[in-house]
Amino acid sequence: MPSLSEPSRPRLFGAVPRERLFGALDGVDRLLSDGGGTIDEAERACAVYQGASLPGNTDAPCTVTIRERLRARHVEQVDRIGRHFEGASQWDRAASWYQPGIDSDPLMESFYQGVIRCYAQTGRRAEALSTYRRLRQTLSVVLGIEPSAATQALYGSLYSA
């Protein structure tokens, strides 16, 4: 059986070869770290990732490892792009990155925090509160935990504004 690292038979994640996915995510790193490109280029590179779905035996240890590495890299890049837009006060554009992040990883608390911050900045308090409640419910049902202290403080700030 060929290994997942065999270059002559690239495995696919969705319809995209894993080398292209890792290359795109590496490109996002370079673009955001050293200013070697534009945020539009980083967005296009990050958009290559369509979820780490793998054909065949998805429980094989090597498959799980690669899938998790891709997911972790993608989560990091979405967060970086969202924060970039927040830093530029482009609240709607930042939220448009965080929201699909929540959809792809509903336990990623930092994405909810980003959406809540963006909604609060644009006066969409009800939507910010709804986002917090969705996070609280998800964490409670899936993991049996409460949101972090940082998220709870963010929630509290919605009432003091």
Side-chain angles (χ1 to χ4, degrees):
M1 179 172 153
S3 73
L4 285 177
S5 61
E6 182 180 352
S8 62
R9 293 190 61 192
R11 297 291 192 246
L12 299 179
F13 293 80
V16 181
R18 74 172 187 286
E19 290 83 5
R20 182 169 172 217
L21 289 171
F22 279 114
L25 294 173
D26 287 343
V28 173
D29 279 340
R30 284 190 303 277
L31 292 167
L32 296 177
S33 297
D34 63 18
T38 67
I39 193 65
D40 290 334
E41 290 170 318
E43 285 184 290
R44 282 193 300 277
C46 201
V48 168
Y49 180 86
Q50 298 296 315
S53 60
L54 297 172
N57 184 0
T58 59
D59 293 330
C62 56
T63 301
V64 171
T65 300
I66 291 173
R67 184 176 53 230
E68 181 54 29
R69 281 180 46 212
L70 278 171
R71 189 203 63 77
R73 291 283 307 279
H74 183 255
V75 163
E76 177 186 338
Q77 301 311 345
V78 168
D79 191 60
R80 289 178 73 186
I81 291 171
R83 287 184 181 278
H84 168 83
F85 288 126
E86 280 189 77
S89 299
Q90 295 182 23
W91 310 112
D92 290 333
R93 201 163 176 194
S96 76
W97 273 91
Y98 292 131
Q99 195 62 57
I102 291 170
D103 296 339
S104 69
D105 191 342
L107 299 175
M108 187 56 55
E109 195 166 350
S110 65
F111 291 160
Y112 290 90
Q113 291 170 347
V115 170
I116 293 167
R117 285 190 305 269
C118 292
Y119 286 167
Q121 288 293 327
T122 57
R124 296 159 63 185
R125 186 169 161 232
E127 289 167 285
L129 292 169
S130 177
T131 300
Y132 174 82
R133 288 190 183 107
R134 179 178 168 198
L135 168 64
R136 187 182 66 206
Q137 178 71 20
T138 301
L139 291 177
S140 174
V141 169
V142 176
L143 300 176
I145 63 172
E146 292 285 318
S148 69
T151 302
Q152 290 181 34
L154 185 58
Y155 170 71
S157 73
L158 296 171
Y159 286 101
S160 63

